[in-house]
């Protein structure tokens, strides 16, 4: 099933996780003109096999009965982030100092793009030994009225991230996976 593909975990574990958990709901609404910009960025990326243009567009994020102004854009260099018809990886930036679960900036991705459940588990462990790490949250996502299923929100480093952890002018080290196939996938 798609859920097994998203999580890369055994079906028995997955079924128990979903039936025992009521996920927080979040919806993203973008007007037609701005949705077309995102779709055009995606189509160009599908043709080039790499995301080059990332137009940031205004959006409304609805969470727990409140509406937040935000900007969003596609994220993820490789096609696995945006090749499917839904569940595109997005970067969300809330406006006017608002946060959702303490996150001002966060990415929404398929769980498989963040090595779920490894990254949240490692993040929790590092937090326990006082190493600052991003927060993770699973949301049930609706995008312009269409259900996109469950997606993983990962907090991005921002002023709110720094303030929440009482970090000032700190050195930030963010390990990243270097995908050696990226240069092979670019077809200009």
């Amino acid at each position: 099933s798609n859920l097994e593909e998203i999580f890369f975990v055994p079906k028995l574990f997955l079924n128990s996780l979903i039936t025992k958990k009521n996920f927080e709901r979040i919806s993203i609404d973008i007007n037609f003109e701005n949705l077309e910009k995102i779709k055009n960025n995606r189509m160009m990326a599908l043709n080039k096999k790499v995301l080059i243009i990332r137009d940031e567009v205004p959006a409304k994020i609805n969470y727990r009965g409140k509406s937040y102004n935000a900007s969003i854009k596609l994220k993820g260099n490789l096609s696995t982030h945006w090749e499917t018809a839904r569940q595109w990886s997005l970067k969300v930036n809330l406006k006017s100092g608002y946060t959702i679960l303490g996150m001002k900036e966060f990415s929404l991705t398929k769980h498989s793009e963040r090595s779920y459940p490894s990254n949240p588990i490692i993040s929790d462990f590092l937090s326990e030994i006082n190493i600052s790490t991003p927060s993770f949250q699973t949301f049930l996502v609706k995008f312009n009225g269409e259900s996109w299923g469950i997606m993983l929100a990962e907090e991005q480093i921002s002023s709110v991230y720094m303030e929440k952890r009482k970090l000032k002018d700190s050195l930030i080290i963010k390990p990243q996976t270097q995908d050696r196939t990226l240069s092979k996938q670019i077809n200009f």
Side-chain angles (χ1 to χ4, degrees):
S1 85
N2 287 341
L3 292 175
E4 286 176 36
E5 183 178 275
I6 291 170
F7 284 104
F8 295 114
V9 294
K11 187 175 183 178
L12 185 62
F13 172 75
L14 184 61
N15 287 341
S16 68
L17 174 71
I18 289 174
T19 57
K20 292 180 182 173
K21 179 78 174 166
N22 289 325
F23 295 106
E24 295 265 9
R25 295 178 183 333
I26 192 168
S27 67
I28 301 168
D29 293 302
I30 307 170
N31 72 26
F32 177 79
E33 179 183 330
N34 290 318
L35 180 58
E36 288 302 304
K37 287 180 185 177
I38 297 287
K39 285 180 175 181
N40 288 336
N41 290 174
R42 180 177 171 265
M43 289 306 296
M44 187 180 305
L46 288 170
N47 289 332
K48 298 283 186 190
K49 305 222 183 327
V50 65
L51 182 61
I52 298 168
I53 297 175
R54 303 162 194 252
D55 286 322
E56 193 166 349
V57 300
K60 289 281 187 192
I61 308 294
N62 295 294
Y63 174 70
R64 291 185 180 171
K66 292 185 180 176
S67 183
Y68 301 90
N69 290 324
S71 62
I72 67 161
K73 63 182 176 180
L74 286 177
K75 74 170 292 296
N77 292 327
L78 300 178
S79 62
T80 54
H81 284 276
W82 28 260
E83 67 187 352
T84 57
R86 58 190 183 100
Q87 289 193 323
W88 308 331
S89 292
L90 300 170
K91 181 165 184 204
V92 177
N93 184 1
L94 298 174
K95 302 297 181 185
S96 304
Y98 289 107
T99 65
I100 292 176
L101 299 177
M103 298 184 290
K104 179 187 181 328
E105 294 179 32
F106 56 93
S107 61
L108 281 171
T109 60
K110 294 177 273 196
H111 285 78
S112 60
E113 294 302 325
R114 287 292 170 254
S115 302
Y116 189 84
S118 301
N119 278 359
I121 290 170
I122 292 167
S123 181
D124 286 348
F125 170 75
L126 291 173
S127 291
E128 289 295 319
I129 58 172
N130 295 321
I131 296 176
S132 295
T133 61
S135 300
F136 290 89
Q137 175 71 37
T138 296
F139 286 109
L140 187 56
V141 177
K142 201 173 259 196
F143 185 84
N144 272 10
E146 179 185 4
S147 175
W148 273 16
I150 56 174
M151 294 181 73
L152 187 65
E154 178 182 2
E155 181 181 24
Q156 301 296 296
I157 295 172
S158 68
S159 59
V160 171
Y161 174 96
M162 302 295 278
E163 289 169 18
K164 190 165 71 171
R165 290 161 179 82
K166 297 179 175 70
L167 302 171
K168 288 187 179 187
D169 300 323
S170 298
L171 176 65
I172 302 296
I173 298 171
K174 183 179 178 187
Q176 291 185 306
T177 304
Q178 193 69 343
D179 191 319
R180 298 183 198 288
T181 62
L182 178 59
S183 60
K184 294 176 189 172
Q185 289 189 9
I186 300 174
N187 182 16
F188 291 103

